[in-house]
């Protein structure tokens, strides 16, 4: 008799490219026991041009109820300053690798900017009480409106983008890919080298209860702004 367990394990084995049926131990195949190659029939490369990618990414991000501003590289510092000031950010946290140029225009009475140089420099309470965090990203996926952070110099440790209530993220045009498979390939190589955790951000933090009441800021920033820097 075929049990539910048999069916589930069979589907797992099929997804792994292992021939149908259970092994002698009834759980996992022996090393090297493989069947046909896993079919890759899904779309793995996008066809849109750079401008179309930015338009699509912007549409997806806005659909998630986040805000998007587009600018050229020379206007980046001014744009960052305007966004932070518009959000009334008075305490801003930066990852260690943010270039000084990005915040050159950010200057108004009472503003405090801190760099998170090491985990001991700013504790959880200080991060949670900060008005804003400014980061870059490693990739952005246009089709899903997803920002990918891998802990690099302009992104910092994961807590930076989970605890402050407002996240301002800078995305450059050459960081935008169209499809998820296009993002997975370079990320896979990065993870092999760094073993760092990934943070995938699709809009501001939000969840809904069983009555579909939307609550924002439960497990991340309540507000997300994205600056798209065009070539």
């Amino acid at each position: 008799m075929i049990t539910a367990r048999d069916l589930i394990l069979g589907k797992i084995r099929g997804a792994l490219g292992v021939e149908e049926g259970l092994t002698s131990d009834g759980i996992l195949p022996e090393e090297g026991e493989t069947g046909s190659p896993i079919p890759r029939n899904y779309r793995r490369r996008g066809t849109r041009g750079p401008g179309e990618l930015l338009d699509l990414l912007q549409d997806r991000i806005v659909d998630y109820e986040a805000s998007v501003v587009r600018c050229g590289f020379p206007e980046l510092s001014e744009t960052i300053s305007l966004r932070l000031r518009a959000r009334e950010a008075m305490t801003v946290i930066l990852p260690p690798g943010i270039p000084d140029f990005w915040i050159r225009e950010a200057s108004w009475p009472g503003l405090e900017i801190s760099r998170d140089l090491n985990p001991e420099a700013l504790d959880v309470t200080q991060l949670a009480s900060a008005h804003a965090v400014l980061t870059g990203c490693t990739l952005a996926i246009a089709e899903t409106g997803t920002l990918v952070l891998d802990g690099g110099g302009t992104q910092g440790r994961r807590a930076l983008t989970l605890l402050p209530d407002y996240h301002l993220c800078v995305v450059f045009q050459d960081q935008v890919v169209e499809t998820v498979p296009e993002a997975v390939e370079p990320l896979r190589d990065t993870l092999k080298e760094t073993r760092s955790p990934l943070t995938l951000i699709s809009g501001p933090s939000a969840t809904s209860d069983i009555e579909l009441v939307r609550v924002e800021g439960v497990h991340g920033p309540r507000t997300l702004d994205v600056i798209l820097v065009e070539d």
Side-chain angles (χ1 to χ4, degrees):
M1 181 179 67
I2 301 297
T3 66
R5 176 177 179 273
D6 296 335
L7 292 173
I8 292 171
L9 290 176
K11 287 191 175 293
I12 292 173
R13 291 166 59 81
L16 293 173
V18 179
E19 293 179 353
E20 290 292 339
L22 299 175
T23 59
S24 58
D25 61 13
I27 300 177
L28 295 173
E30 297 293 335
E31 183 177 355
E33 182 187 354
T34 60
S36 302
I38 301 173
R40 306 289 185 182
N41 299 325
Y42 50 83
R43 189 165 62 93
R44 304 178 70 180
R45 290 288 182 270
T47 58
R48 292 177 173 87
E52 293 176 299
L53 283 181
L54 289 187
D55 291 341
L56 179 61
L57 178 63
Q58 179 171 346
D59 288 344
R60 293 291 192 268
I61 292 173
V62 170
D63 194 48
Y64 287 129
E65 300 187 9
S67 297
V68 178
V69 178
R70 290 165 76 156
C71 71
F73 184 76
E75 296 78 46
L76 177 57
S77 182
E78 180 183 7
T79 305
I80 289 173
S81 177
L82 290 173
R83 294 313 302 162
L84 291 174
R85 193 156 193 173
R87 296 295 185 182
E88 300 181 346
M90 299 303 294
T91 53
V92 181
I93 308 296
L94 306 179
I98 293 290
D100 291 337
F101 163 75
W102 287 20
I103 56 169
R104 185 177 60 194
E105 303 291 330
S107 177
W108 51 88
L111 175 65
E112 297 181 6
I113 298 178
S114 304
R115 286 188 184 269
D116 185 52
L117 299 177
N118 58 71
E120 289 74 34
L122 297 170
D123 60 27
V124 171
T125 301
Q126 290 171 302
L127 291 179
S129 62
H131 293 159
V133 58
L134 167 66
T135 77
C137 72
T138 186
L139 283 174
I141 306 171
E143 276 196 339
T144 61
T146 301
L147 311 177
V148 183
L149 281 63
D150 66 0
T154 64
Q155 301 148 64
R157 54 182 167 137
R158 177 175 280 183
L160 287 184
T161 52
L162 295 180
L163 295 178
D165 199 50
Y166 169 49
H167 181 193
L168 177 59
C169 186
V170 175
V171 181
F172 291 92
Q173 184 168 326
D174 62 2
Q175 294 178 312
V176 181
V177 298
E178 184 171 341
T179 67
V180 172
E182 285 176 287
V184 169
E185 187 173 340
L187 291 174
R188 180 180 55 199
D189 295 337
T190 299
L191 291 178
K192 285 181 180 179
E193 295 178 5
T194 65
R195 301 292 181 180
S196 59
L198 295 178
T199 303
L200 278 67
I201 301 170
S202 298
S205 168
T207 189
S208 297
D209 62 17
I210 196 170
E211 296 180 349
L212 301 182
V213 176
R214 180 182 173 93
V215 180
E216 298 178 343
V218 175
H219 44 67
R222 190 188 314 271
T223 305
L224 172 67
D225 284 346
V226 178
I227 298 176
L228 299 182
V229 184
E230 302 178 86
D231 292 343

